[in-house]
Amino acid sequence: MSEFVTKAMHYMKAHRMDVYIQDLLTRVDMEKPASVDVFLMENFDSIVNGTNVLFRDFSYVKSTPRNRIAFAKYLGALLNANDDDEYKAADYFHIIELICTDFPCQIVRKIARLTEYSLGLKSDIEVSDSSGPMPNLLPKHGFLHIFGLYFFYMEFLELCESYIMNAFANALAVPLNELAFNFEELKAIRGDFASQLQLSMAADDTL
């Protein structure tokens, strides 16, 4: 393999262009378009304007940072098309399912819990958010802000969470399911974050 090809492949991978090229090749093989020129133009246009993430599987939606931003943007557009200011967490999930049918419920559940806690709607946040009833009514703008942040940095936040959980478990020597973040220091941080979030929401209605 020539040095030029090697550098080009590294560049494409670094900018996640390989995801789009592989997806394009797969779709060409499956759809066998009559006009390749039109197919290529429409495909790359959809990537530029972000519509490429609509009605796609979750593995593709989360595959690149650009896709995640586009998905959060279109979720916001879908929710903001309605005059309602708040929804139940389960309703958020069902709305998300409209544009990504296999979007994991546990991610929406965790985002809903974080929204509830960050906005001061709940004093404690459980360590495990993968089961149990979802929170009730949550403000639309608050949910969208938390969704955009969490979905973009999802793997990093999950890694941080695992380190924190392990650190607390080792320090306190208690099972993880007995932990609850109700310490005064964390409450103060939560309050500061909620204030900043409210200011951000008031200044900017977009993600």
Side-chain angles (χ1 to χ4, degrees):
M1 186 178 297
S2 69
E3 182 179 357
F4 172 79
V5 173
T6 301
K7 288 183 177 179
M9 292 181 66
H10 283 314
Y11 179 86
M12 290 175 62
K13 188 171 184 179
H15 293 275
R16 305 314 307 271
M17 294 171 62
D18 57 321
V19 172
Y20 300 114
I21 297 299
Q22 183 59 52
D23 182 66
L24 174 62
L25 294 174
T26 300
R27 292 181 59 203
V28 167
D29 181 59
M30 291 178 59
E31 301 179 26
K32 294 179 174 55
S35 174
V36 176
D37 292 344
V38 173
F39 183 83
L40 290 174
M41 182 181 66
E42 291 177 347
N43 181 79
F44 288 113
D45 279 347
S46 71
I47 294 173
V48 171
N49 60 41
T51 56
N52 62 305
V53 300
L54 298 177
F55 316 114
R56 297 297 301 271
D57 58 274
F58 179 70
S59 62
Y60 177 78
V61 169
K62 72 167 186 173
S63 61
T64 72
R66 184 182 186 86
N67 282 2
R68 298 186 189 202
I69 292 172
F71 188 85
K73 172 187 173 182
Y74 277 100
L75 174 61
L78 188 61
L79 289 171
N80 288 325
N82 193 303
D83 292 333
D84 292 339
D85 292 327
E86 54 186 15
Y87 296 88
K88 293 181 178 179
D91 294 331
Y92 285 115
F93 174 61
H94 293 313
I95 292 171
I96 290 171
E97 280 189 308
L98 294 176
I99 51 178
C100 181
T101 57
D102 64 339
F103 199 99
C105 178
Q106 62 267 29
I107 293 179
V108 180
R109 188 189 305 275
K110 182 167 289 188
I111 292 170
R113 297 288 187 196
L114 290 171
T115 302
E116 187 179 41
Y117 182 74
S118 299
L119 295 179
L121 303 177
K122 189 174 183 181
S123 59
D124 299 327
I125 184 168
E126 294 86 352
V127 171
S128 175
D129 295 308
S130 61
S131 61
M134 287 191 180
N136 288 319
L137 291 174
L138 296 171
K140 177 171 58 180
H141 292 311
F143 180 87
L144 287 173
H145 273 74
I146 299 298
F147 182 93
L149 289 170
Y150 184 87
F151 191 41
F152 188 85
Y153 296 107
M154 184 168 58
E155 290 80 7
F156 171 74
L157 293 174
E158 289 176 349
L159 182 62
C160 291
E161 181 186 22
S162 68
Y163 285 148
I164 292 172
M165 295 302 97
N166 289 334
F168 269 100
N170 292 333
L172 301 179
V174 296
L176 290 180
N177 59 11
E178 294 182 14
L179 293 176
F181 291 110
N182 56 0
F183 305 103
E184 291 302 319
E185 294 85 354
L186 294 182
K187 287 183 177 180
I189 293 173
R190 191 270 322 269
D192 291 340
F193 179 79
S195 298
Q196 293 298 320
L197 184 61
Q198 294 285 6
L199 290 173
S200 175
M201 289 161 54
D204 185 4
D205 287 339
T206 67
L207 287 174

